Amino acid sequence: MSIHSIALLLAVILITSIATFPITANAQPQQQVESTNGGLIATLNGDSFRTGDTIIVNGTVEERQPGSYVAIEVIDPRSKIVEYGTAPVTADNTFTYRFIAGEQQQEFDPDEPMITSGNYTMGVRYFPSPSDNSVMEQIEFFFEYNAIEEGM
């Protein structure tokens, strides 16, 4: 068997292997947590993030009233709120909230900057009735954050 034939055979094996086992360089595991009474289900798009990564939490609720919303609060290792926002619950009972790790969302953002590396907590709270904030469902996610930007 000539060297050319062996090289061609190896190339075919390599291409077949890549097609069979796709490589995803930035794939992150997703966390899914369901509240205790089953009405709120949410998914976080990873368990570890770096500065500049997009953090996305989305999910569903069992029942929705007009004006229902989900509040998201992210707390850093120093117990400072670094992200707070709300997402409306759509007509199909879903919600999505996203932000960029390490970036202030607005010019006059009242949240602390996300500058501390360590373990963070994200609280997701569902308020089924906009007129009664005492009724809510809540779940928590925990994730690691590396505040050092690449190339530094």
Side-chain angles (χ1 to χ4, degrees), residues 49-64:
F49 300 97
R50 295 183 309 226
T51 300
D53 286 349
T54 301
I55 298 175
I56 304 169
V57 61
N58 56 35
T60 61
V61 298
E62 188 174 318
E63 294 182 22
R64 169 195 170 274

Side-chain angles (χ1 to χ4, degrees), residues 15-120:
I15 290 170
T16 305
S17 297
I18 290 171
T20 306
F21 302 104
I23 299 170
T24 53
N26 293 330
Q28 294 183 343
Q30 292 193 350
Q31 299 182 45
Q32 181 169 327
V33 176
E34 186 172 337
S35 67
T36 55
N37 61 9
L40 172 63
I41 299 173
T43 303
L44 182 62
N45 67 318
D47 57 11
S48 179
F49 300 97
R50 295 183 309 226
T51 300
D53 286 349
T54 301
I55 298 175
I56 304 169
V57 61
N58 56 35
T60 61
V61 298
E62 188 174 318
E63 294 182 22
R64 169 195 170 274
Q65 294 181 13
S68 297
Y69 67 96
V70 175
I72 288 82
E73 182 178 73
V74 179
I75 300 172
D76 75 2
R78 303 169 300 153
S79 299
K80 305 266 186 188
I81 297 173
V82 295
E83 180 67 27
Y84 182 84
T86 60
V89 178
T90 62
D92 63 352
N93 293 6
T94 64
F95 65 91
T96 299
Y97 185 82
R98 69 181 64 218
F99 65 99
I100 306 297
E103 289 186 11
Q104 295 293 94
Q105 303 304 312
Q106 305 167 23
E107 184 178 343
F108 299 105
D109 193 339
D111 300 329
E112 292 286 323
M114 197 171 176
I115 57 174
T116 304
S117 294
N119 296 318
Y120 281 65

